[in-house]
Protein backbone atom coordinates (compact mmCIF):
# COMPACT_ATOMS: atom_id res chain seq x y z
CA UNK A 1 0.00 0.00 0.00
CA UNK A 2 1.51 3.34 -1.00
CA UNK A 3 1.83 6.02 1.63
CA UNK A 4 3.46 9.39 1.83
CA UNK A 5 6.14 8.43 4.31
CA UNK A 6 9.91 8.70 4.35
CA UNK A 7 12.50 6.56 6.10
CA UNK A 8 14.19 8.59 8.86
CA UNK A 9 17.45 6.68 8.32
CA UNK A 10 17.99 6.58 4.55
CA UNK A 11 15.46 9.17 3.34
CA UNK A 12 13.77 6.92 0.79
CA UNK A 13 10.02 6.62 0.34
CA UNK A 14 8.55 3.71 2.25
CA UNK A 15 5.34 2.12 3.39
CA UNK A 16 3.84 3.41 6.58
CA UNK A 17 3.51 0.18 8.55
CA UNK A 18 6.48 -1.95 7.51
CA UNK A 19 10.25 -1.74 7.75
CA UNK A 20 12.12 0.25 5.10
CA UNK A 21 12.72 -1.93 2.02
CA UNK A 22 15.85 0.08 1.20
CA UNK A 23 17.81 -0.02 4.45
CA UNK A 24 15.74 -2.32 6.68
CA UNK A 25 15.09 0.40 9.28
CA UNK A 26 12.38 -0.42 11.82
CA UNK A 27 12.14 3.22 13.00
CA UNK A 28 8.85 5.04 12.57
CA UNK A 29 8.66 6.91 9.25
CA UNK A 30 8.48 10.65 8.75
CA UNK A 31 5.04 11.60 7.43
CA UNK A 32 4.21 14.03 4.64
CA UNK A 33 0.60 14.26 5.82
CA UNK A 34 -1.46 13.46 8.90
CA UNK A 35 -4.13 11.89 6.66
CA UNK A 36 -3.89 8.52 4.92
CA UNK A 37 -6.13 6.34 2.83
CA UNK A 38 -6.25 2.63 3.59
CA UNK A 39 -7.94 0.11 1.33
CA UNK A 40 -8.80 -2.57 3.90
CA UNK A 41 -10.46 -4.88 1.35
CA UNK A 42 -7.65 -4.79 -1.22
CA UNK A 43 -6.69 -8.48 -1.28
CA UNK A 44 -10.12 -9.98 -0.56
CA UNK A 45 -9.79 -10.78 3.16
CA UNK A 46 -12.47 -12.35 5.32
CA UNK A 47 -14.38 -10.19 7.80
CA UNK A 48 -12.46 -11.30 10.91
CA UNK A 49 -9.16 -10.68 9.16
CA UNK A 50 -10.33 -7.17 8.22
CA UNK A 51 -11.24 -6.37 11.83
CA UNK A 52 -7.85 -7.63 13.04
CA UNK A 53 -6.06 -5.58 10.37
CA UNK A 54 -8.03 -2.49 11.29
CA UNK A 55 -7.08 -2.91 14.95
CA UNK A 56 -3.41 -3.15 13.96
CA UNK A 57 -3.58 -0.25 11.47
CA UNK A 58 -5.26 1.99 14.04
CA UNK A 59 -2.60 1.27 16.67
CA UNK A 60 0.26 1.85 14.26
CA UNK A 61 -1.34 4.96 12.77
CA UNK A 62 -1.60 6.60 16.18
CA UNK A 63 2.03 5.67 16.92
CA UNK A 64 3.28 7.53 13.83
CA UNK A 65 1.01 10.55 14.29
CA UNK A 66 -1.78 9.94 11.79
CA UNK A 67 -4.87 11.93 12.69
CA UNK A 68 -7.28 10.86 9.95
CA UNK A 69 -7.84 7.65 8.01
CA UNK A 70 -10.03 7.47 4.94
CA UNK A 71 -10.95 3.80 5.14
CA UNK A 72 -12.01 2.08 1.93
CA UNK A 73 -14.09 -0.96 2.84
CA UNK A 74 -16.23 -1.21 -0.26
CA UNK A 75 -19.97 -1.41 -0.58
CA UNK A 76 -20.37 -5.01 -1.60
CA UNK A 77 -21.85 -6.44 -4.77
CA UNK A 78 -25.26 -7.32 -3.32
CA UNK A 79 -26.62 -3.79 -3.59
CA UNK A 80 -27.29 -3.70 0.16
CA UNK A 81 -23.75 -3.34 1.44
CA UNK A 82 -21.16 -6.03 1.91
CA UNK A 83 -20.16 -7.98 4.99
CA UNK A 84 -16.94 -6.02 5.45
CA UNK A 85 -18.78 -2.70 5.37
CA UNK A 86 -21.39 -3.85 7.89
CA UNK A 87 -18.78 -5.42 10.18
CA UNK A 88 -16.80 -2.17 10.28
CA UNK A 89 -19.93 -0.08 10.84
CA UNK A 90 -21.05 -2.44 13.60
CA UNK A 91 -17.62 -2.41 15.27
CA UNK A 92 -17.54 1.41 15.25
CA UNK A 93 -21.12 1.79 16.48
CA UNK A 94 -20.46 -0.70 19.29
CA UNK A 95 -17.31 1.12 20.42
CA UNK A 96 -14.87 -1.66 19.50
CA UNK A 97 -12.31 1.00 18.55
CA UNK A 98 -13.32 3.75 20.97
CA UNK A 99 -9.84 3.81 22.50
CA UNK A 100 -8.40 4.68 19.06
CA UNK A 101 -11.19 6.38 17.07
CA UNK A 102 -12.46 9.69 18.41
CA UNK A 103 -15.12 10.19 15.71
CA UNK A 104 -16.21 8.44 12.54
CA UNK A 105 -18.25 9.46 9.53
CA UNK A 106 -19.85 6.90 7.26
CA UNK A 107 -19.38 7.95 3.66
CA UNK A 108 -23.08 7.84 2.85
CA UNK A 109 -23.60 10.59 5.45
CA UNK A 110 -20.95 12.94 4.06
CA UNK A 111 -22.35 14.00 0.68
CA UNK A 112 -20.51 16.80 -1.11
CA UNK A 113 -21.78 20.17 0.08
CA UNK A 114 -23.75 18.79 3.04
CA UNK A 115 -23.46 20.21 6.54
CA UNK A 116 -21.50 17.11 7.61
CA UNK A 117 -19.12 17.60 4.67
CA UNK A 118 -18.39 21.22 5.58
CA UNK A 119 -18.05 20.46 9.29
CA UNK A 120 -15.57 17.68 8.56
CA UNK A 121 -13.53 19.90 6.21
CA UNK A 122 -13.47 22.66 8.79
CA UNK A 123 -12.04 20.26 11.39
CA UNK A 124 -9.63 18.47 9.04
CA UNK A 125 -8.76 20.53 5.93
CA UNK A 126 -6.37 17.74 4.85
CA UNK A 127 -9.46 15.73 3.86
CA UNK A 128 -10.38 18.02 0.96
CA UNK A 129 -8.64 15.93 -1.70
CA UNK A 130 -10.31 12.74 -0.42
CA UNK A 131 -13.81 14.11 0.04
CA UNK A 132 -14.08 15.01 -3.65
CA UNK A 133 -15.12 11.36 -4.10
CA UNK A 134 -18.13 11.87 -1.86
CA UNK A 135 -20.28 13.58 -4.54
CA UNK A 136 -23.54 12.04 -3.32
CA UNK A 137 -22.02 10.29 -0.38
CA UNK A 138 -19.77 7.26 -0.75
CA UNK A 139 -21.03 4.22 1.10
CA UNK A 140 -17.82 2.32 0.35
CA UNK A 141 -15.72 4.60 2.56
CA UNK A 142 -15.63 5.71 6.18
CA UNK A 143 -13.63 8.61 7.63
CA UNK A 144 -11.98 7.92 10.98
CA UNK A 145 -10.70 10.75 13.19
CA UNK A 146 -8.17 9.20 15.51
CA UNK A 147 -7.47 10.00 19.14
CA UNK A 148 -4.21 11.73 19.92
CA UNK A 149 -1.30 9.55 21.01
CA UNK A 150 -1.30 11.04 24.52
CA UNK A 151 -4.97 10.14 25.00
CA UNK A 152 -4.55 6.57 23.73
CA UNK A 153 -1.66 5.80 26.08
Amino acid sequence: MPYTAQCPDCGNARALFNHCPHCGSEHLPILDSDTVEINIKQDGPYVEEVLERLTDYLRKSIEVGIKVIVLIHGYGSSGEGGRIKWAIHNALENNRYSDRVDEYYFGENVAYGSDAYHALLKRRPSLKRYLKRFKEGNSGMTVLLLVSQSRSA
Side-chain angles (χ1 to χ4, degrees):
M1 299 190 303
Y3 292 102
T4 53
Q6 176 183 339
C7 178
D9 295 330
C10 70
N12 286 304
R14 62 172 275 190
L16 182 62
F17 299 130
N18 301 321
H19 67 278
C20 178
H22 306 285
C23 70
S25 174
E26 298 279 338
H27 293 112
L28 295 176
I30 299 167
L31 302 176
D32 291 338
S33 174
D34 66 356
T35 302
V36 296
E37 179 178 294
I38 296 175
N39 185 342
I40 199 100
K41 66 173 187 75
Q42 186 168 346
D43 58 350
Y46 291 105
V47 170
E48 278 307 311
E49 186 179 356
V50 164
L51 296 176
E52 289 172 17
R53 281 184 191 178
L54 183 54
T55 299
D56 188 49
Y57 290 161
L58 289 170
R59 181 184 53 79
K60 290 177 180 177
S61 293
I62 290 169
E63 284 178 20
V64 298
I66 303 265
K67 293 184 172 46
V68 182
I69 294 175
V70 177
L71 185 67
I72 300 170
H73 47 65
Y75 182 69
S77 59
S78 69
E80 298 175 4
R83 289 185 188 133
I84 290 174
K85 172 192 172 177
W86 292 119
I88 289 172
H89 281 212
N90 187 45
L92 289 165
E93 289 173 336
N94 288 300
N95 298 317
R96 179 172 178 167
Y97 303 113
S98 63
D99 61 329
R100 296 179 177 105
V101 176
D102 191 33
E103 290 182 57
Y104 55 88
Y105 296 83
F106 299 136
E108 55 268 29
N109 299 329
V110 190
Y112 181 81
S114 68
D115 290 341
Y117 173 89
H118 288 296
L120 195 50
L121 272 184
K122 189 173 185 178
R123 286 198 58 206
R124 303 300 320 164
S126 62
L127 279 168
K128 186 169 187 156
R129 69 182 242 208
Y130 299 98
L131 293 182
K132 290 178 182 179
R133 295 185 224 158
F134 286 64
K135 297 283 185 218
E136 295 181 19
N138 187 329
S139 58
M141 300 169 85
T142 297
V143 178
L144 307 173
L145 304 183
L146 305 184
V147 300
S148 65
Q149 188 169 10
S150 60
R151 195 177 132 205
S152 66

